[in-house]
Each structure stands twice: as structure tokens, then as C-alpha cells.
């Protein structure tokens, strides 16, 4: 029995696993990372599980979506093997004495990928059946498609190596001469590197990695023979030629990916996001392998220097590929972004001018309602990707339908963050089209379906094929040239999903808002430079830049927001595309590139959710500024808060940690940014109640919670599954939300 266990332990497949555990922790961690993603243990809240287990291609989960996912997995599998062959083959000099050494290496290195493959298929079967309700026949087809995709790519690579790689048969004449002149050379006393390997040292039985047997192509066990009598130069030549072919293939794969990135505008090239994750891992593994192979012990130092070099070079103008707001002019002198310039707003008279213009809008709105003292509705929608977009549209559609169109007619202002504002921006556009006499069924479910079509595929593939290599493709808008990146492709995908209805400049909305034909809409992305909010509106909104008391005490109250049109008037602020404005408000860090605006210093913005995920701060400031008009001309304000997540969460537990775990406890508060926002914004709501009075202020919350039919809460992502969407739509029927609808109906009617 001990002999059998010894043979198993010293078999090539097992020794490769031992080698990974000893030396290849980073490469091993990638497999573990994929398991954590597809199991939902990591990043389930952001929908990564669905990207792995429910891939979409051309708007559908199908045979082809899984087939492409399989091809990408095959690419990762081969990249992983190529890298390990580069880094590890010299530990096993017997490989060079075999026919097709790389093929045999892959076969013996299959243990870990095979476990992953079986686990992956198991997760697919479980997810598709249990969560998606797909019949087993179709699930089997999906698994077959994934397998065929992977096998197809592996066969393609194998064909290349069959014709390109040399093995021992190529050197048979030299081998015969070597056997006749064989003499064991003395053992050397230094360790080999990776490229310039001292095979005289490691090919001796006493020094090489101890392997007793390996698996052949027929999966039969074969004994490992001594290689001490082989010529070292010949063995090294085999490895070096195989390594060169591996490096060439990886380089060609990168170039092919770069070329495909140029075609990202075509939907057919927007592969499933899960496939892009596999391709990203392939690139990561290839780069690690190449750097480690060429620089050996210096690899970490070289990587650090390489990153520092990239950072320095991309500061230079020719390589400055930062994302820009499309429609704006970056060629004119930049706007000054300084405290002095911000504070100049106090003496310019701009605040009084903008306040008067907005009072004119409010008077027009009042006339449109045809009521002496109408209820003023302020809509505040939360961020949360397609989940928030679906929920905000569903609530407003249902409520406006129930009120026979009176909800949007009574709405003065819409504000909020990211996904929720994508939904409101689109619904407002449909409402405007209907106001113009176009045939629009405002309450049709198809509008939600259109808006929530997948956008992750295009973002992920653009990141892999374009942004990683620095955005190099360009496009033209309003006579200005910009670079294509994942920010650009999100706007393109959103434009396609919504039939180009929002492909307009900011100024196009000015008159419609002034006439109160449509509600005003404030977008408030966060400014990274100083944590102020940028307020984007076609109207002058300088009164949003500080609390009203700031006009009386300019040196005591700090400006906490910036009027976008005022700041960037000379840089064509009015030409900013509405799609770009919505994207700036929904810029998830890393998922989308931060937008850089033409100012000095450069003003960089990110998702509004970092400072005002519910739009409450903007709503509070607006109500505070116009409180006198509201008290005199309305019967009160109804603030509708549409939240795509639980308002009140369970209290977490602490304690019981070890000393290392406890070091991270203070950092935990950083992850509670939305919770702390809720506390502060509840305080703001109390402030509104104080300034208007209890009889003039009503707060109604519509909160998405998973229904009883749902097995999981919908994720926060630019991708949403049909099951998630159905659950979100059903949530309007939950008792608390039905009560909110009845309360709203009563308030508007009276």
C-alpha cells in the first residue's frame, strides 16, 4: 500500500500540484477567485455570479453565449498552461526527452483545471435549474456548448504546437552521437534560473524534481527515465524553442484581442462579460509569465518599475487617454477651478438671476396644474445599477397610471444617483415625447425591458480589448475628437437600448423645463478633488452651490456644490450630451472611467452615490431655497423616495475576532458610506419638515425588497437577469408599497 501511495504522490500530476502550492500562489489564486465569484461568496451583490453562470450574448442566454464563454475559458486554460510551461518545465528535464513535451505537460497539469471544470458545470446546472427554472434538456445544451467552446480553442492551440514545436525526434542524429560519447559530467553547486537553466545540474537524478511516472496521451502511466546521459544543450534547445513558440502565441493572441477591440461598436463583438473575465485572467497570467520568465528574481522589481513607468508616461500629453465629457470643448483655455473663482459667485449677481429664472419655472408649473395651491412632488431615486433603473421606472409608471397622469404633472424636480437616474432620464424623455403629441404608451412594460438590456458585455469587452492597451480608437462628436473607451461604449449601448431618444445636448431640454412641459432634472456627480457635488442642469442653478445663509455670510458658509453650466460656460457646457451627463452621474469606479472636465486643475467626477445616493441633499437644498414660494403657492411638498435597497438593515456583530482580524475593524466604517448617508439624509428630511411645517410636508418611500418568490435579492450591476427583473416588478405589490400608492393617490387628489 505504501508503495502505491508513493507512486501516486510522486506522479507528475500530483507533483505539479505540489509545485503550484509551493511556488505559484498567484496563478493558483486565480482559479480560487473564479470559484468564489461563481459561487456568489464574493461580489454576489454586484452580479458577478450571473456573469459567470448566466451569460448573455446579443441579448439572450443561449447556446452561443455559453459557447463563447467556453472559448474564453479555453483561452485562459491554455494561457495558464503556457505560462506554467515557461516557468516550470526546466524543473522536469525528462519532458525534453519525450515526443510532444508540451502536450504531455498539459495532460499532466489537468488535475486542477478538471476539478474547476466539473465544479463550474455543477454551478451552472444548479443555478439554471434552481434560480432560473430552466429545463434540464436546455441546461445540458448549455453545458455542451461551454465544453465545445473550450475544446475548440484547445484544439486550435494544439494544432499550432503540433506544427511549430520541436521534440526529441528532431534531434535523433545528435542523440545517437551523444549516446556513443556519453559521460556523466560533474555536478555543479549552484541553483538554475529560468531562462539560462543549468541542466547539467538539474538533469541528474539526485538533483532534479522527483517524479517517478507521468501520464501519456492515452492517459496511461509511464515511468520517468533518467536523463543524465542526454546532452544538456540539446535538452535546453528543445525547451527554448517550445518557450519561444509559447511567447509568440501569447503575443499574437494579445494583438488579435487589440484588433477585435477596434470593432467593439458592432454588437456581434460584444461577447459575454464572463468571457471577458476569462480573457482578462488570460492576459494577467501571460504578463506575469513573460515578466517572470525574462527577469526571474527581478520580476517583482521590474513589475513595480513598469507600473511606475506607465504612470509617468500617461501623464504626458501624447499618452493622456483620460475620459472626457463628450460634446465639451477641451481645446479652449480651461476654466479656473479655485476657491476664489467659486466665491466670486457671491458678488456676480448670478445667484439672484438664476433664482428668479427658476421662480418663473415654478410659476409656469403652477399654471400647468390648473390648481390654486397644487401639491409639489419631488422625486428622489437611489442608485443601484439596472436594479434601481427598473424599480424607479416601475414605481413611477404604476403611480402615474393610477393617478391618470397627475404624478408627473405635479412633479417639479427629479434628482438622485446612477441607475435610478438612468431610469428617470429615460422615462422623462418618453413623457416629453408624449407631451409633444407622439404616440407613446408611457406605461408599457417594453420601456423597462429596453432600458435594462445588458450593458456589461460591451463594457467588459471594451476594457479587455481596448482600455488595457490605452484607448487608441477615436470618434468625432460636434466636430471634436474623443477617444473610445468603456465610457464611450456605455453611452453607445444605452443609446441603442433606448432607440436614440436621449441623444441630445443638455441645452435641448432648457425650454421644455422652463415651460414646465417636463420636470427639472438635476444630476449631481461627486467631485473627487474636494468632495463637492457638481450640479448638472440646462438651467442656471448657482443657488444650489451653498446654503441660502451663505449669501448673507459668504465667509462663514463654505460652497459645497458647483453649477456645471456656470463653471464651464466657455467650454461649451450646453453642448454636453445628455448621455454623457447621465453617465457622469452613474460612473461606478473602475467599472467606468472617471470623467475629467476642462478646468485647471482638472476636475474629476465620479458616481453621485458617493455623496448623495438618494438625491435627498439636492432636494433639501432646492426646497430650502424656494421655501417661501412653496409655502405661499402650494399645499405642500410630497417627497417620493424610491430606494432599490433596504432602508433599515440588521445590526452587524463584532467581537470574537483574532488580533489580526481586529486590525481591520476601524476600516469597516468606510464600507458603511450609504448607511451614514441615510442617517444624515434622514436629518435633512427632518429639516425640511421643520421649515415647511408638518402640514406642508409628506414623505412617501417606495422600497424594493425581494418578494417571497425570489430566492436572491437582485444585484447591483449594469446587467439584470429576467428573474431579477420580474421580482423587482412584483415588489410594487408588497403591502408597504401598495400603502404608499394609496397614500399618494389621496394626497394628490386632495
Amino acid at each position: 500500500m505504501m508503495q502505491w501511495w508513493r507512486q501516486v504522490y510522486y506522479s507528475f500530476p500530483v507533483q505539479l500540484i505540489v509545485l503550484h502550492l509551493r511556488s505559484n500562489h498567484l496563478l493558483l489564486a486565480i482559479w480560487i477567485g473564479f470559484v468564489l465569484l461563481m459561487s456568489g461568496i464574493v461580489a454576489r451583490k454586484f452580479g458577478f455570479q450571473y456573469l459567470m453562470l448566466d451569460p448573455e450574448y446579443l441579448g439572450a442566454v443561449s447556446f452561443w453565449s455559453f459557447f463563447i464563454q467556453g472559448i474564453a475559458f479555453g483561452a485562459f486554460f491554455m494561457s495558464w498552461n503556457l505560462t506554467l510551461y515557461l516557468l516550470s518545465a526546466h524543473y522536469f528535464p525528462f519532458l525534453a526527452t519525450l515526443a510532444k513535451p508540451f502536450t504531455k505537460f498539459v495532460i499532466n497539469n489537468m488535475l486542477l483545471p478538471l476539478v474547476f471544470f466539473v465544479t463550474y458545470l455543477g454551478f451552472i446546472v444548479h443555478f439554471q435549474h434552481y434560480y432560473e427554472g430552466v429545463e434540464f434538456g436546455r441546461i445540458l445544451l448549455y453545458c455542451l456548448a461551454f465544453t465545445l467552446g473550450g475544446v475548440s480553442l484547445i484544439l486550435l492551440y494544439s494544432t499550432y504546437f503540433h506544427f511549430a514545436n520541436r521534440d526529441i525526434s528532431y534531434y535523433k542524429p545528435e542523440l545517437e552521437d551523444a549516446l556513443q560519447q556519453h559521460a556523466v559530467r560533474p555536478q555543479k553547486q549552484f541553483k538554475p534560473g529560468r531562462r539560462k537553466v543549468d541542466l547539467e545540474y538539474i538533469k541528474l537524478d539526485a538533483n532534479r524534481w522527483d517524479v517517478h511516472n507521468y501520464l501519456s496521451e492515452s492517459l496511461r502511466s509511464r515511468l520517468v527515465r533518467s536523463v543524465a546521459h542526454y546532452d544538456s544543450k540539446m535538452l535546453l534547445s528543445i525547451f527554448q524553442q517550445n518557450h519561444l513558440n509559447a511567447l509568440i502565441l501569447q503575443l499574437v493572441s494579445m494583438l488579435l484581442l487589440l484588433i477585435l477591440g477596434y470593432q467593439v461598436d458592432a454588437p456581434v463583438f460584444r461577447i459575454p462579460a464572463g468571457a471577458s473575465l476569462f480573457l482578462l485572467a488570460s492576459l494577467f497570467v501571460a504578463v506575469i509569465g513573460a515578466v517572470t520568465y525574462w527577469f526571474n528574481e527581478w520580476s517583482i522589481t521590474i513589475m513595480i518599475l513598469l507600473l511606475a513607468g506607465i504612470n509617468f508616461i500617461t501623464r504626458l500629453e501624447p499618452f493622456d487617454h483620460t475620459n472626457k465629457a463628450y460634446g465639451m470643448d477641451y481645446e479652449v483655455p480651461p476654466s479656473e477651478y479655485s476657491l476664489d473663482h467659486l466665491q466670486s459667485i457671491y458678488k456676480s449677481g448670478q445667484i439672484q438671476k438664476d433664482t428668479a429664472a427658476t421662480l418663473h419655472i415654478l410659476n409656469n408649473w403652477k399654471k400647468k396644474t390648473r390648481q390654486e395651491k397644487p401639491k409639489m412632488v419631488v422625486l428622489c431615486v437611489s442608485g443601484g445599477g439596472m436594479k434601481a433603473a427598473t424599480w424607479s421606472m416601475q414605481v413611477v409608471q404604476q403611480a402615474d397610471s393610477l393617478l391618470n397622469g397627475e404624478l408627473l404633472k405635479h412633479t417639479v424636480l427629479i434628482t438622485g444617483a446612477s441607475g435610478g437616474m438612468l431610469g428617470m432620464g429615460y422615462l422623462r424623455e418618453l413623457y416629453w415625447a408624449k407631451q409633444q403629441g407622439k404616440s407613446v404608451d408611457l406605461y408599457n412594460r417594453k420601456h423597462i425591458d429596453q432600458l435594462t438590456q445588458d450593458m456589461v458585455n460591451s463594457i467588459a469587452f471594451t476594457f479587455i480589448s481596448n482600455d488595457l492597451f490605452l484607448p487608441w480608437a477615436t470618434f468625432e462628436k460636434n466636430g471634436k475628437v474623443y477617444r473610445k473607451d468603456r465610457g464611450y461604449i456605455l453611452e453607445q449601448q444605452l443609446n441603442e437600448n433606448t432607440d436614440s431618444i436621449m441623444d441630445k445636448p443638455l441645452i435641448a431640454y432648457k425650454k421644455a423645463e422652463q415651460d414646465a412641459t417636463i420636470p427639472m432634472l438635476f444630476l449631481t456627480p461627486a467631485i473627487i478633488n474636494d468632495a463637492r457635488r457638481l450640479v448638472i442642469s440646462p438651467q442656471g442653478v448657482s443657488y444650489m452651490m451653498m446654503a441660502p445663509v451663505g449669501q448673507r455670510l459668504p465667509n462663514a458658509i463654505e460652497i459645497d456644490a458647483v453649477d456645471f453650466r456656470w463653471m464651464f460656460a466657455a467650454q461649451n457646457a450646453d453642448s454636453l450630451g445628455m448621455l454623457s451627463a447621465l453617465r457622469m452621474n452613474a460612473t461606478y469606479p473602475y467599472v467606468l472611467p472617471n470623467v475629467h472636465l476642462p478646468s485647471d486643475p482638472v476636475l474629476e467626477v465620479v458616481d453621485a452615490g458617493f455623496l448623495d445616493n438618494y438625491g435627498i441633499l439636492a432636494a433639501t437644498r432646492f426646497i430650502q431655497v424656494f421655501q417661501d414660494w412653496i409655502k405661499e403657492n402650494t399645499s405642500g411638498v410630497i417627497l417620493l423616495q424610491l430606494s432599490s435597497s433596504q432602508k433599515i438593515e440588521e445590526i452587524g456583530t463584532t467581537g470574537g475576532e483574532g488580533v489580526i482580524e481586529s486590525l481591520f475593524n476601524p476600516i469597516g466604517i468606510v464600507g458603511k458610506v450609504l448607511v451614514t448617508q441615510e442617517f444624515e439624509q434622514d436629518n435633512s428630511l427632518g429639516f425640511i419638515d421643520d421649515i415647511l411645517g408638518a402640514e406642508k410636508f409628506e414623505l412617501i418611500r417606495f422600497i424594493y425588497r425581494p418578494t417571497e418568490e425570489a430566492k436572491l435579492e437582485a444585484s447591483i450591476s449594469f446587467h439584470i437577469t429576467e428573474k431579477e427583473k420580474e421580482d423587482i416588478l412584483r415588489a410594487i405589490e408588497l403591502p408597504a408599497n401598495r400603502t404608499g400608492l394609496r397614500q399618494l393617490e389621496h394626497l394628490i387628489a386632495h
Side-chain angles (χ1 to χ4, degrees):
M1 179 62 71
M2 285 296 297
Q3 182 65 24
W4 183 84
W5 278 111
R6 184 177 177 82
Q7 287 298 315
V8 170
Y9 180 76
Y10 287 107
S11 65
F12 195 23
V14 173
Q15 287 302 298
L16 281 172
I17 293 294
V18 173
L19 176 63
H20 302 335
L21 292 173
R22 189 200 73 169
S23 304
N24 300 318
H25 301 135
L26 193 57
L27 299 179
L28 192 63
I30 296 175
W31 293 99
I32 298 173
F34 276 126
V35 172
L36 294 176
L37 286 177
M38 68 187 184
S39 65
I41 295 175
V42 170
R44 193 208 65 78
K45 183 177 180 180
F46 300 102
F48 278 85
Q49 183 184 26
Y50 305 127
L51 304 183
M52 300 291 294
L53 305 178
D54 198 43
E56 283 190 17
Y57 178 62
L58 297 178
V61 179
S62 64
F63 174 92
W64 294 110
S65 66
F66 276 95
F67 182 78
I68 294 171
Q69 191 104 323
I71 289 177
F73 171 73
F76 168 63
F77 168 77
M78 291 305 295
S79 180
W80 187 73
N81 274 291
L82 287 170
T83 296
L84 287 172
Y85 188 68
L86 282 173
L87 303 183
S88 308
H90 68 274
Y91 289 125
F92 310 99
F94 74 90
L95 282 171
T97 70
L98 306 176
K100 302 177 182 178
F102 178 69
T103 300
K104 289 184 173 62
F105 180 86
V106 172
I107 290 172
N108 285 270
N109 199 33
M110 280 287 291
L111 190 57
L112 180 61
L114 187 60
V115 170
F116 176 85
F117 176 76
V118 172
T119 304
Y120 191 16
L121 292 185
F123 274 113
I124 289 174
V125 171
H126 178 263
F127 180 85
Q128 290 292 329
H129 175 68
Y130 186 70
Y131 292 108
E132 296 297 304
V134 179
E135 65 274 12
F136 279 109
R138 179 162 290 276
I139 296 174
L140 182 61
L141 182 67
Y142 291 162
C143 294
L144 178 62
F146 180 79
T147 305
L148 288 176
V151 170
S152 299
L153 197 285
I154 293 171
L155 288 177
L156 183 64
Y157 272 67
S158 300
T159 301
Y160 166 79
F161 283 114
H162 175 75
F163 291 103
N165 273 4
R166 296 173 184 173
D167 57 28
I168 193 68
S169 62
Y170 181 85
Y171 296 92
K172 275 188 176 179
E174 298 179 27
L175 176 60
E176 292 175 356
D177 292 341
L179 289 173
Q180 293 175 2
Q181 303 172 9
H182 166 62
V184 177
R185 295 173 174 82
Q187 176 177 321
K188 297 191 178 180
Q189 301 300 320
F190 54 87
K191 292 184 67 177
R194 281 196 171 89
R195 292 185 58 242
K196 296 182 179 180
V197 178
D198 182 10
L199 284 175
E200 288 299 318
Y201 176 82
I202 62 174
K203 74 178 185 177
L204 299 177
D205 292 343
N207 301 319
R208 66 176 174 82
W209 194 277
D210 196 3
V211 176
H212 295 176
N213 52 83
Y214 65 92
L215 294 178
S216 66
E217 288 88 342
S218 62
L219 300 184
R220 293 186 177 182
S221 179
R222 295 286 187 265
L223 292 177
V224 172
R225 306 295 182 183
S226 174
V227 296
H229 57 283
Y230 285 96
D231 182 71
S232 298
K233 291 183 179 179
M234 180 184 64
L235 298 181
L236 188 59
S237 178
I238 293 174
F239 282 134
Q240 288 178 337
Q241 192 271 341
N242 285 190
H243 290 170
L244 178 62
N245 287 335
L247 290 170
I248 290 173
L249 188 58
Q250 289 181 327
L251 180 61
V252 170
S253 298
M254 289 184 188
L255 290 175
L256 179 61
L257 194 60
L258 185 61
I259 292 170
L260 289 177
Y262 191 75
Q263 304 294 326
V264 75
D265 282 325
V268 70
F269 288 103
R270 298 171 190 170
I271 64 174
S276 293
L277 290 177
F278 280 126
L279 292 180
L280 176 61
S282 301
L283 289 174
F284 183 66
V285 167
V287 170
I288 289 177
V291 172
T292 305
Y293 175 71
W294 287 102
F295 299 103
N296 201 19
E297 288 89 352
W298 285 90
S299 58
I300 295 178
T301 303
I302 294 299
M303 285 295 295
I304 294 173
L305 292 175
L306 184 63
L307 293 174
I310 292 173
N311 184 67
F312 175 77
I313 290 173
T314 51
R315 289 179 179 179
L316 306 178
E317 184 64 30
F319 302 97
D320 180 12
H321 295 175
T322 52
N323 182 268
K324 295 178 170 57
Y326 308 138
M328 297 186 69
D329 191 347
Y330 285 76
E331 296 177 1
V332 300
S335 172
E336 177 190 352
Y337 188 60
S338 65
L339 288 176
D340 288 342
H341 183 51
L342 291 178
Q343 290 172 346
S344 70
I345 195 77
Y346 290 118
K347 300 178 181 179
S348 66
Q350 188 65 41
I351 295 176
Q352 292 76 15
K353 179 181 176 181
D354 291 343
T355 302
T358 301
L359 285 172
H360 180 69
I361 293 174
L362 293 176
N363 285 321
N364 286 339
W365 165 79
K366 182 180 176 182
K367 292 176 184 177
K368 292 274 187 180
T369 66
R370 298 180 181 178
Q371 296 178 14
E372 183 180 352
K373 286 199 171 185
K375 286 287 187 182
M376 175 190 286
V377 175
V378 177
L379 273 174
C380 296
V381 298
S382 76
M386 291 295 99
K387 174 172 73 168
T390 302
W391 179 239
S392 64
M393 286 191 70
Q394 168 73 335
V395 172
V396 176
Q397 280 182 325
Q398 293 292 318
D400 197 60
S401 175
L402 180 66
L403 296 170
N404 299 313
E406 291 297 315
L407 174 60
L408 289 173
K409 183 186 293 186
H410 280 76
T411 300
V412 167
L413 175 65
I414 302 173
T415 187
S418 55
M421 290 303 282
L422 293 181
M424 288 297 92
Y426 181 43
L427 191 64
R428 186 181 75 146
E429 199 77 48
L430 294 169
Y431 177 68
W432 189 15
K434 185 176 181 179
Q435 297 295 96
Q436 293 171 317
K438 297 179 182 178
S439 179
V440 176
D441 182 358
L442 188 62
Y443 313 126
N444 197 316
R445 154 76 184 270
K446 73 175 183 180
H447 302 310
I448 294 178
D449 292 334
Q450 282 185 293
L451 177 66
T452 56
Q453 293 176 79
D454 177 79
M455 290 192 283
V456 168
N457 287 354
S458 52
I459 294 171
F461 185 65
T462 303
F463 176 72
I464 301 302
S465 62
N466 183 74
D467 294 13
L468 278 181
F469 302 98
L470 296 181
W472 58 284
T474 60
F475 72 101
E476 186 176 315
K477 186 180 181 69
N478 297 341
K480 306 298 180 184
V481 177
Y482 307 92
R483 294 190 180 275
K484 293 182 180 180
D485 59 13
R486 59 194 187 278
Y488 160 80
I489 204 62
L490 176 125
E491 291 188 27
Q492 289 297 105
Q493 187 72 71
L494 180 59
N495 200 34
E496 293 171 17
N497 293 354
T498 56
D499 296 328
S500 304
I501 196 173
M502 293 187 289
D503 191 11
K504 301 172 183 175
L506 190 65
I507 196 64
Y509 299 86
K510 186 172 184 178
K511 190 175 187 306
E513 288 189 6
Q514 287 176 338
D515 295 341
T517 303
I518 57 176
M520 289 185 290
L521 186 143
F522 290 175
L523 297 167
T524 57
I527 299 174
I528 292 178
N529 307 52
D530 51 22
R532 289 182 167 90
R533 289 172 295 127
L534 185 69
V535 185
I536 302 175
S537 168
Q539 314 302 326
V541 291
S542 55
Y543 52 79
M544 294 290 292
M545 292 176 62
M546 82 294 290
V549 69
Q551 296 181 51
R552 185 170 61 86
L553 303 172
N555 296 321
I557 303 299
E558 189 169 357
I559 291 173
D560 60 8
V562 179
D563 180 355
F564 171 78
R565 286 184 71 245
W566 171 77
M567 173 63 67
F568 296 103
Q571 290 75 33
N572 286 359
D574 284 339
S575 297
L576 173 72
M578 175 53 73
L579 293 170
S580 289
L582 288 169
R583 173 172 64 89
M584 289 163 66
N585 201 62
T587 300
Y588 290 26
Y590 308 111
V591 175
L592 295 174
N594 298 340
V595 180
H596 295 70
L597 297 172
S599 60
D600 183 21
V602 172
L603 194 152
E604 188 175 354
V605 298
V606 73
D607 198 298
F610 277 90
L611 296 177
D612 192 8
N613 192 53
Y614 301 94
I616 300 297
L617 294 180
T620 302
R621 177 67 51 80
F622 183 84
I623 293 170
Q624 185 184 12
V625 170
F626 297 102
Q627 59 178 297
D628 293 337
W629 187 92
I630 291 171
K631 292 174 183 177
E632 182 179 347
N633 293 275
T634 75
S635 58
V637 172
I638 303 173
L639 192 147
L640 298 185
Q641 184 179 357
L642 280 51
S643 177
S644 63
S645 59
Q646 295 278 5
K647 169 63 179 166
I648 300 176
E649 300 179 356
E650 293 293 331
I651 297 175
T653 59
T654 59
E657 303 99 340
V659 64
I660 303 300
E661 291 175 284
S662 65
L663 294 176
F664 296 94
N665 282 347
I667 302 175
I669 191 67
V670 177
K672 301 296 183 182
V673 59
L674 295 183
V675 177
T676 55
Q677 275 190 36
E678 289 173 359
F679 294 155
E680 293 299 323
Q681 291 175 0
D682 282 351
N683 188 53
S684 295
L685 294 174
F687 174 64
I688 296 175
D689 187 77
D690 287 341
I691 63 175
L692 293 182
E695 71 284 355
K696 288 273 190 176
F697 179 65
E698 296 288 344
L699 171 65
I700 303 177
R701 286 186 169 124
F702 292 93
I703 301 175
Y704 160 69
R705 296 183 179 89
T707 64
E708 292 182 2
E709 293 88 345
K711 299 180 175 71
L712 291 173
E713 181 178 351
S715 58
I716 300 172
S717 171
F718 283 120
H719 172 89
I720 188 171
T721 68
E722 285 301 315
K723 289 289 184 181
E724 287 181 310
K725 190 190 303 181
E726 292 299 328
D727 181 59
I728 294 169
L729 297 178
R730 284 195 303 268
I732 195 67
E733 301 298 333
L734 292 174
N737 293 324
R738 296 306 302 178
T739 299
L741 287 175
R742 289 192 295 269
Q743 183 183 1
L744 179 61
E745 183 180 21
H746 173 76
L747 290 171
I748 294 293
H750 296 82

